[in-house]
């Protein structure tokens, strides 16, 4: 199945060719025909599966076709996503795929001044990508009306719940027209999420790709048993092994992330930390530097790193093991993308043994243990 066979219109096909997307990913092959048919979707998929294009392409296409029938430039599609990074990334995808169409889109999120966002909104946009808090804020200030929405995407619903956005979402839902297409995505489907999905979807088609544990089969997973005090030394040793390698290091806490970055800088290893306490500009700068390889090592907390898409990231290090086993899968899923080889190395101390057990149970295998020698 090619994109052409999925009846994608020429200007989008051109953009996809430029991005060297030769074939649709499984979720794209499943979701695009359903969405172009104006059906609702319940998607069980995580990032890294090509999920963004699976919803962005049909939305662009439908809006372009609807616009030809002479509609105004009101907001016709709303994409709600939990983090700023994810919002920016989705916006970039729209820039890429809609490059040869007249579609206008804009992204809004909190933590920065609203002026540049409201300026863009006032010029008129077809697609709005938003985090829940800033969306409600700008709705209250009358910069945004959701009256013309015909496509609504709720992305990463399970994370929305984890991050406490459920009340915001419940306030946004009644503001949307009843007659609309709804796309609901979540990596996991706990009962609360399933209930929420049921309450907002109309006779949805269920689309499921690669359950959490099988997407990481291409990643070589290793671990070290180390004491807490030894973690810093081991990290420096590993990072000094190959001084060219880009490495994403996960820390459980913001404070921990800062401490690791400071220690690495003392050891002469170029690094930066990215977490929720940093300003949006600082986070974006750190990310851009890491992507362009100006900084070799990025230390991130889970929320800040959520959905970050870095091409050809060879190594992920779990400096701390996550509390929630699914987070391990999300973390190491940053590497080994698009068929590239990926390696993950996790540090586990005495206090983290239970977390390790839970992770191994989830992924259904035992992580290979490496011996740490001073
Ligand atoms: P996502 O799951 O939306 O975060 O996408 C993961 C990565 O896959 C992104 O880097 C996309 O640019 C890339 N991607 C999406 N669709 C395709 C495709 N059909 N062919 C190649 N790469 C793709």
């Amino acid at each position: 199945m090619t994109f052409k066979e999925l009846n994608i219109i020429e200007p989008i096909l051109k953009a996809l060719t430029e991005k060297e997307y030769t074939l649709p990913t499984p979720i794209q092959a499943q979701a695009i025909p359903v969405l172009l048919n104006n059906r609702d979707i319940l998607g069980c998929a995580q990032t890294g599966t090509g999920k963004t294009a699976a919803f962005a392409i049909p939305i662009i296409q439908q809006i372009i076709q609807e616009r030809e029938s002479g509609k105004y430039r009101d907001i016709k599609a709303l994409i709600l996503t939990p983090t700023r990074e994810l919002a920016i990334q989705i916006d970039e995808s729209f820039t890429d795929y809609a490059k040869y169409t007249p579609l206008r889109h804009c992204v809004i999120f909190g933590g920065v001044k609203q002026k540049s966002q409201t300026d863009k909104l006032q010029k008129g946009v077809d697609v709005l990508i938003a985090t829940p808090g800033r969306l409600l804020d700008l709705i209250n200030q009358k910069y945004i009306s959701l009256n013309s929405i015909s496509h609504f995407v709720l992305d990463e619903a399970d994370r929305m719940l984890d991050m406490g956005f459920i009340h915001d979402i419940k306030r946004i839902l009644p503001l949307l027209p009843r007659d609309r297409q709804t796309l609901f995505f979540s990596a996991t489907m706990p009962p609360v999420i399933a209930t929420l999905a049921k309450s907002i979807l109309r006779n949805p088609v269920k689309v499921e790709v690669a359950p959490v544990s099988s997407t990481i089969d291409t990643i070589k997973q290793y671990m070290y048993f180390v004491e807490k005090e030894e973690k810093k030394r081991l990290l420096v040793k590993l990072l000094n092994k190959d001084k060219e390698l880009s490495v994403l290091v996960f820390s459980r806490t913001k404070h921990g992330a800062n401490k690791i970055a400071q220690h690495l800088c003392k050891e002469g290893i170029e690094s930066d930390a990215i977490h929720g306490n940093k300003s949006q500009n600082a986070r974006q700068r750190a990310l851009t530097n890491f992507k362009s390889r100006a900084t070799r090592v990025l230390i991130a907390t889970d929320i800040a790193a959520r959905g970050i898409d870095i091409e050809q990231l060879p190594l992920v290090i779990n400096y701390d093991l996550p509390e929630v086993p699914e987070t391990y899968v999300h973390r190491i899923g940053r590497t080994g993308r698009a068929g590239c080889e990926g390696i993950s190395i996790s540090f586990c101390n005495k206090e983290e043994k239970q977390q390790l057990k839970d992770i191994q149970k989830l992924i259904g295998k035992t992580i290979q243990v490496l011996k740490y020698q001073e």
Side-chain angles (χ1 to χ4, degrees):
M1 181 70 79
T2 62
F3 280 112
K4 204 169 178 157
E5 283 163 349
L6 291 175
N7 293 325
I8 308 293
I9 53 175
E10 201 48 52
I12 303 178
L13 282 179
K14 188 173 172 195
L16 297 178
T17 310
E18 264 178 31
K19 285 207 59 104
E20 296 180 357
Y21 288 9
T22 41
L23 287 173
T25 65
I27 193 167
Q28 291 160 4
Q30 286 182 61
I32 292 174
V34 171
L35 293 172
L36 288 177
N37 229 344
N38 210 27
R39 293 281 304 270
D40 283 6
I41 253 189
L42 176 60
C44 209
Q46 54 187 107
T47 50
T49 53
K51 179 185 61 161
T52 316
F55 67 74
I57 293 169
I59 286 179
I60 299 167
Q61 178 148 335
Q62 288 176 96
I63 292 179
I64 292 303
Q65 289 171 340
E66 284 159 17
R67 260 161 54 96
E68 280 167 3
S69 67
K71 286 197 185 169
Y72 289 86
R73 218 160 226 188
D74 296 325
I75 302 169
K76 296 168 207 65
L78 170 67
I79 293 134
L80 264 190
T81 189
T83 69
R84 307 156 187 188
E85 283 76 13
L86 220 40
I88 292 171
Q89 219 163 277
I90 294 172
D91 187 55
E92 285 168 357
S93 297
F94 271 90
T95 306
D96 288 345
Y97 310 143
K99 193 169 165 192
Y100 298 110
T101 76
L103 183 113
R104 304 220 302 207
H105 55 96
C106 134
V107 59
I108 61 169
F109 45 80
V112 292
K113 291 205 178 87
Q114 67 176 45
K115 177 84 172 54
S116 67
Q117 298 177 359
T118 53
D119 282 353
K120 199 148 187 204
L121 282 168
Q122 282 178 323
K123 286 189 194 136
V125 295
D126 302 295
V127 177
L128 177 66
I129 300 121
T131 54
R134 179 57 59 99
L135 176 68
L136 278 170
D137 198 5
L138 295 185
I139 289 174
N140 289 337
Q141 293 179 55
K142 305 264 185 286
Y143 281 108
I144 293 173
S145 153
L146 303 182
N147 291 339
S148 304
I149 300 285
S150 44
H151 312 277
F152 170 57
V153 182
L154 188 64
D155 189 29
E156 311 245 342
D158 50 355
R159 290 290 136 179
M160 292 273 197
L161 186 75
D162 290 348
M163 292 172 67
F165 284 137
I166 204 77
H167 294 293
D168 283 349
I169 290 166
K170 290 198 165 148
R171 284 169 61 203
I172 294 164
L173 288 173
L175 306 177
L176 296 166
R178 274 168 176 269
D179 188 18
R180 57 160 203 261
Q181 179 182 40
T182 305
L183 292 68
F184 190 105
F185 289 98
S186 195
T188 57
M189 284 289 165
V192 232
I193 293 295
T195 310
L196 177 68
K198 214 170 158 195
S199 72
I200 63 172
L201 290 166
R202 265 197 246 171
N203 189 21
V205 176
K206 201 164 178 209
V207 172
E208 209 166 341
V209 288
V212 152
S213 52
S214 62
T215 52
I216 54 173
D217 285 348
T218 53
I219 303 163
K220 291 201 176 112
Q221 301 172 60
Y222 301 101
M223 58 164 301
Y224 287 94
F225 284 114
V226 273
E227 282 325 308
K228 222 171 167 176
E229 312 70 54
E230 291 170 336
K231 285 188 177 183
K232 268 190 201 151
R233 230 175 311 151
L234 175 59
L235 180 64
V236 171
K237 198 173 158 187
L238 292 175
L239 294 176
N240 278 336
K241 261 192 187 166
D242 182 343
K243 297 193 170 163
E244 296 291 306
L245 220 58
S246 288
V247 185
L248 180 61
V249 179
F250 280 96
S251 156
R252 201 172 49 79
T253 65
K254 299 171 200 170
H255 180 62
N258 282 340
K259 272 187 23 191
I260 298 167
Q262 279 162 12
H263 183 72
L264 293 183
C265 286
K266 254 197 284 175
E267 295 285 331
I269 300 171
E270 194 87 46
S271 70
D272 213 336
I274 168 169
H275 54 66
N277 280 2
K278 294 216 163 177
S279 74
Q280 179 55 24
N281 286 341
R283 284 160 78 171
Q284 205 47 46
R285 196 165 50 237
L287 201 57
T288 309
N289 285 341
F290 186 57
K291 281 188 179 178
S292 69
R293 295 170 202 263
T295 331
R296 182 164 81 90
V297 182
L298 186 68
I299 299 112
T301 56
D302 290 304
I303 295 209
R306 176 81 193 154
I308 290 177
D309 180 31
I310 301 149
E311 272 168 38
Q312 296 181 341
L313 177 67
L315 175 61
V316 167
I317 294 182
N318 289 309
Y319 190 88
D320 305 304
L321 285 183
E323 306 278 347
V324 181
E326 280 84 2
T327 305
Y328 172 84
V329 180
H330 289 306
R331 285 182 178 186
I332 72 167
R334 307 294 110 221
T335 181
R337 288 203 166 185
C340 295
E341 275 227 327
I343 294 178
S344 81
I345 300 178
S346 303
F347 298 175
C348 175
N349 65 24
K350 265 204 250 39
E351 291 77 36
E352 294 170 309
K353 292 238 166 104
Q354 185 58 45
Q355 282 139 267
L356 176 65
K357 254 196 197 158
D358 295 340
I359 289 166
Q360 297 193 137
K361 193 169 153 206
L362 174 77
I363 61 172
K365 62 174 147 195
T366 312
I367 304 170
Q368 189 181 339
V369 179
L370 300 176
K371 274 238 157 67
Y372 171 42
Q373 284 151 342
E374 293 268 348

